Amino acid sequence: RPDVMITRFSTVPGGTHGHHTASAVLALEAFKLAGDSNAFPDQLTYLKPWQPRRIFVNSRGGESALQIEANGTDPVSGETFGAIAGHSRAMHKSQGFGNFGGGGGGSRLESFRLLAGEPATNDIMDGVDTTWNRVPGGAEIGKQAGEIIAQFDLKNPAASVEALLALKKNLSALPAEPLVEEKRRKLDQILQACLGLSVVATVPRAEVVPGEKLMVRVTASVHAKISVVWLNPPGHAPRMRPDEPASLDLDFTHELASLPLTQPYWLREEPTVGMFRVADAKLIGQPENPPVLPLTESFQVGTNSEPVEVETEPVKAGTEAGKFEARRTLEIIPPVSLDFVSDVKLFAPGSAYPVEIEITAARAHSAGTLKLNAPADWKISPASQSFDLATAGEKKKFTFTVTAPEKPASAGITASAQIGDATFGSRRIEIAYKHIPHILLQPPARLKAVCLDLAIRGKKIGYVPGAGDSV
């Protein structure tokens, strides 16, 4: 629910790449439609219309542009904002921006030209109340927060805990709305930091097959000299006292049954041309999937305070939870993965060709039946084949004969493995680089079969493949 929107690129074509221009055009459309309750009524089951006050383009000057000085130094790291921006830009690993890793210490003016909405004279936030006064009943919250900030002791953060708990109580009394909900979560994070409260959940393996049992260890520790009661453990509420070991472990077994296989939410359904399909609209805009096993641990601080809640998710044991490169969260996989040896197969009308598929075991003793699924006018032989993979990681190839129809056609042929009462039919693609989290893709195992009447008149044919070609 932004008050001000800013596009980085102009809505006028010609000055940059087309997709840059398109982002600005769409932003302006969104600005004009955001407050219209008739624009997307299907979204209003969980959203309310919200109209930002104005929209700018971050331009390169001009007579009507509002200018803001964009220099300065971050008080925490000591680096200039320009240098921080340079480090960020250098993380575009695939675009050769490593030469922008530093510098940027001089004065720089940023220009903002109004595209639509209310004009601004002195600042992009002109006329916008950025204090707690904008929230009904929020004036006292703003006053309390100001006092806590003014009295904060960097060498003793725990000294602010009592005042933060009082603030939490008053904040909880405000009516729920998006800004207040966000601030409640942020306040719990601030309390967690001032208490030195740490919660880490670990699992012995990052990948789990549906139906398997998983042992989860949750470790909670507190460093402030304040009595904290961990409310979640079943049957007891251990108290972490300053004069006792300030770390406690909770082990529990969780059976992960009937969970869908891990797949980025925007790839779960077949896309249209140029557009992903997402069944749960609340996920749209999220950078990653929600946790497979979200955990919320509650802690009582003092006697009459509301519990402080810490949200976490399990990571593979042995990794460093706070280290970006080591992050490996819980993922649901099938006991076997399937992959066609070739993604595309060409057929002459009525012809029969062998099609190979490889099956890989993720778990030992994976046995079942493998089959191909095709439209009725495509014939598959044999109808199915049995497989038995003794060890995890074992691979086997199977060959089916596919006969094309008598007339030109195309079809998607999928593979499926029946193990007990469950059917699995996904590939396994891993994306693993040090500068991004591990990403597991599990799309359907699919072969594109093309039947066409093709005449070859040349004696020798050379083909130079392009990026993404699969021929």
Side-chain angles (χ1 to χ4, degrees):
R1 303 174 74 178
D3 295 303
V4 174
M5 292 174 61
I6 300 173
T7 73
R8 180 62 185 90
F9 300 101
S10 172
T11 56
V12 180
T16 182
H17 301 295
H19 57 281
H20 288 169
T21 304
S23 72
V25 171
L26 290 170
L28 184 56
E29 280 192 31
F31 173 84
K32 293 176 178 178
L33 291 171
D36 185 353
S37 59
N38 297 315
F40 296 99
D42 56 307
Q43 296 181 6
L44 300 184
T45 54
Y46 60 93
L47 295 174
K48 292 181 180 179
W50 173 265
Q51 182 59 57
R53 186 164 296 213
R54 59 182 67 97
I55 181 171
F56 293 103
V57 56
N58 183 198
S59 63
R60 288 175 172 81
E63 293 183 4
S64 61
L66 178 66
Q67 293 190 320
I68 296 178
E69 200 166 280
N71 58 358
T73 301
D74 174 42
V76 176
S77 67
E79 287 193 282
T80 65
F81 293 125
I84 294 171
H87 295 320
S88 171
R89 188 174 173 86
M91 292 306 291
H92 288 266
K93 300 291 187 181
S94 65
Q95 299 204 16
F97 289 157
N99 56 321
F100 290 90
S107 178
R108 189 177 83 256
L109 289 175
E110 289 288 344
S111 298
F112 301 88
R113 182 169 53 82
L114 188 71
L115 291 178
E118 297 179 14
T121 304
N122 301 310
D123 188 86
I124 60 174
M125 301 297 286
D126 276 2
V128 178
D129 186 354
T130 59
T131 72
W132 273 95
N133 292 330
R134 68 185 292 169
V135 178
E140 181 61 27
I141 300 292
K143 179 184 175 183
Q144 281 183 277
E147 291 173 352
I148 293 170
I149 292 170
Q151 297 171 13
F152 183 74
D153 183 355
L154 189 62
K155 295 181 179 180
N156 183 21
S160 296
V161 167
E162 187 174 344
L164 287 168
L165 290 172
L167 177 61
K168 178 179 172 67
K169 183 177 181 180
N170 289 341
L171 189 60
S172 299
L174 294 185
E177 57 107 343
L179 179 63
V180 173
E181 290 299 320
E182 180 187 4
K183 295 302 182 183
R184 285 171 180 165
R185 290 191 295 270
K186 294 288 186 183
L187 183 54
D188 272 353
Q189 293 169 9
I190 292 170
L191 273 162
Q192 183 183 348
C194 289
L195 287 165
L197 177 60
S198 172
V199 178
V200 177
T202 58
V203 287
R205 58 186 185 276
E207 298 181 345
V208 182
V209 170
E212 289 183 339
K213 292 184 178 180
L214 182 70
M215 198 282 286
V216 181
R217 164 161 286 190
V218 184
T219 300
S221 60
V222 63
H223 298 286
K225 294 184 178 181
I226 297 174
S227 180
V228 177
V229 178
W230 189 2
L231 301 177
N232 287 57
H236 62 294
R239 184 181 298 273
M240 294 183 282
R241 299 178 180 277
D243 54 347
E244 295 176 359
S247 180
L248 291 170
D249 293 325
L250 165 66
D251 295 337
F252 67 93
T253 301
H254 194 96
E255 186 169 343
L256 298 166
S258 304
L259 288 174
L261 300 183
T262 295
Q263 177 77 332
Y265 68 82
W266 57 94
L267 299 178
R268 289 175 184 167
E269 299 187 31
E270 278 295 306
T272 62
V273 177
M275 184 72 71
F276 294 119
R277 281 194 178 120
V278 179
D280 184 357
K282 292 182 181 179
L283 292 173
I284 294 175
Q286 298 299 317
E288 297 177 303
N289 286 349
V292 170
L293 185 60
L295 300 174
T296 301
E297 302 301 320
S298 298
F299 298 87
Q300 185 79 42
V301 182
T303 54
N304 297 316
S305 69
E306 291 189 11
V308 175
E309 293 190 336
V310 180
E311 296 179 355
T312 187
E313 63 174 309
V315 297
K316 182 182 177 182
T319 63
E320 297 175 52
K323 188 177 180 182
F324 186 73
E325 293 85 351
R327 184 175 180 268
R328 186 76 197 274
T329 53
L330 196 61
E331 294 169 320
I332 306 299
I333 64 167
V336 295
S337 58
L338 312 173
D339 197 9
F340 285 96
V341 175
S342 173
D343 293 336
V344 177
K345 194 76 172 178
L346 299 181
F347 295 81
S351 64
Y353 287 105
V355 169
E356 273 192 310
I357 185 165
E358 185 175 68
I359 183 167
T360 304
R363 296 290 183 266
H365 309 297
S366 293
T369 303
L370 178 65
K371 63 182 294 188
L372 300 188
N373 312 290
D377 52 349
W378 293 76
K379 307 303 179 186
I380 309 293
S381 178
S384 64
Q385 298 186 56
S386 297
F387 64 86
D388 190 350
L389 305 175
T391 60
E394 184 179 351
K395 300 175 183 288
K396 282 187 180 180
K397 288 182 179 178
F398 294 84
T399 301
F400 291 83
T401 299
V402 177
T403 303
E406 295 296 334
K407 294 182 180 180
S410 63
I413 297 177
T414 60
S416 59
Q418 182 87 21
I419 299 178
D421 296 329
T423 302
F424 305 96
S426 62
R427 300 171 61 199
R428 179 185 176 90
I429 304 169
E430 290 187 77
I431 302 175
Y433 295 95
K434 288 185 177 179
H435 62 282
I436 61 173
H438 176 274
I439 299 174
L440 177 63
L441 307 180
Q442 299 185 107
R446 178 180 287 114
L447 169 75
K448 182 178 182 180
V450 180
C451 169
L452 72 164
D453 203 352
L454 180 65
I456 302 175
R457 295 187 173 88
K459 297 297 182 184
K460 293 183 178 180
I461 298 174
Y463 177 75
V464 180
D469 282 1
S470 181
V471 175

